[in-house]
Amino acid sequence: MTEKDPGLTRRLLLRAPAVGVAAAGVAVLSNPSAASAQAGPSMAYDVTTWVHSTNAAITCFTDIGALINDIIADIKKRQPNQSSKPGAVIYIPPGDYPLKTRVTVDVSYLTIRGDGHGFTSSSIRYNAGDTSAWHEIWPGGSRIRVENTDGKSEAFLVSRSGDPRLSSVVFDNFCLDGISFTPNQNSYANGKVGIRVDTANDAFRVERMGFVYLERALVIRDADALSVHGNFIAECGNCVELIGSGQASKVTDNHVGAGYIGYSIFAEGHQGLLIAGNNIFPRGKSLVHLRNTSRSSITGNRLHGFYPGMFDSDGVNKENLVSGNHFRREPEPWAPMQPYDNGKDDLYGVMHLCGDGNMVTGNLFAYDVAPAKIKPAGAKPTMILVATGSNNHVSNNSMASNVAANAVVLDASTRGTKVIDSATASQFVTYATDYAFRATP
């Protein structure tokens, strides 16, 4: 800033989100010696200018994984003081970058940020035949090609032993592209993982990312206060997997669609999880799947699926709220994918509920499957199956179907289920003896 232009600093700060960390007035390091030239050492790194510490032939254009590992080593070298470890930002400008070596993140307060999630459908391209006249054929933005010639499955592994747990790691606004499901492009299987967080963590954020053609896009273990927000995760075998345990986390405002082999959103052992505002589209074997997850809210989502068990659960899931969601079940319309399904029949339920004290209220279930495609043949499909548990509450749900259907079915092992204004008398089937029912007028 000069006396002639007192607004310069403010303008640079305002521009920063649009053009990356370099524009914010922060010098982006190209090598370790750059820090000594600054009044205050910057902890912002640009992968296109960083010089590898031991092998200058390694660049972001030969192996961005090995380069980021070198940057992380520099961060640890420059922040040895236990009481002062502010972390760093690694910036990935728009471009195509091969990742041949897995990145290992073992520091807190690290942000890895790009400028564009770059998602585009690879499934459509691989099934389209001639694409010579297309405008583009690959994902774009800040795109990392997950090649993994090191024999590891992950593009990014986040893991650290000891105390405290890792905190405040951020993945923001770049694309992880698994490239191919060779030899069968419709298999959703290539062994590749986008991001795996394998130790307990706190306040992680995965935001504005693009994931495509990975067998497992995002796998996070033992998360506390995690935010998975505003991402585009599709054409992956599994999209979001929250495993082990977790608390007070959220999966919100994402576009998500897994393959027929896996989960769009899976949560295991979580407490207080919020799954809200997501647009979840085909063709996951389940769109939301809970396992031993309690006191969580699944609200305001749009779910569109091609198979039964769109909402699925197993184990004991307690006191969850499933409210205000829009479920639409249709058959697979696209010829290349019609040979595949998730192996479940229409008696399994569009929603398959296991657990105690859950509330399913105010949802819209829309079923539109030609009679000839219903399995088993001639069956009345089930919208909500309460499969196990006690004291579940099913109320004020709306059902629309092109065929005669059972709106709510209670299995024999259930106890104390309350079904209120969610089925007419002819749409309600119970094999249980302990229940309360009020028919939809």
Side-chain angles (χ1 to χ4, degrees), residues 105-112 158 166-171 197 201-206 226:
V105 176
D106 58 358
V107 294
S108 291
Y109 322 129
L110 176 65
T111 294
I112 303 176
V158 186
L166 285 165
S167 181
S168 306
V169 173
V170 178
F171 294 90
V197 181
N201 56 90
D202 190 11
F204 276 32
R205 302 200 328 258
V206 181
L226 165 73

Side-chain angles (χ1 to χ4, degrees), residues 59 89 118 130 144 197 216-217 231 238 259 299 304 328 351 389 397:
T59 72
V89 175
D130 182 14
I144 291 178
V197 181
R216 304 176 76 181
N231 303 284
N238 297 271
T299 61
H304 180 201
R328 181 165 182 79
M351 169 179 283
N397 297 286

Side-chain angles (χ1 to χ4, degrees), residues 345-346 371-380:
D345 64 34
D346 286 286
K373 295 185 177 181
I374 295 172
K375 299 178 183 178
K380 288 178 70 174

Side-chain angles (χ1 to χ4, degrees), residues 99 117 139 142-146 155-156 171 174-179 193-195 209-214 217 236:
L99 185 144
H117 71 69
S142 299
R143 173 192 176 220
I144 291 178
R145 306 193 308 271
V146 182
F156 290 85
F171 294 90
F174 61 94
C175 178
L176 288 171
D177 179 8
I179 304 170
V193 181
I195 300 169
M209 293 286 291
F211 298 82
V212 62
Y213 258 50
L214 299 154
C236 295

Side-chain angles (χ1 to χ4, degrees), residues 69 97 121 170 216 227-228 372:
N69 282 334
Y97 308 98
S121 172
V170 178
R216 304 176 76 181
S227 175
V228 179

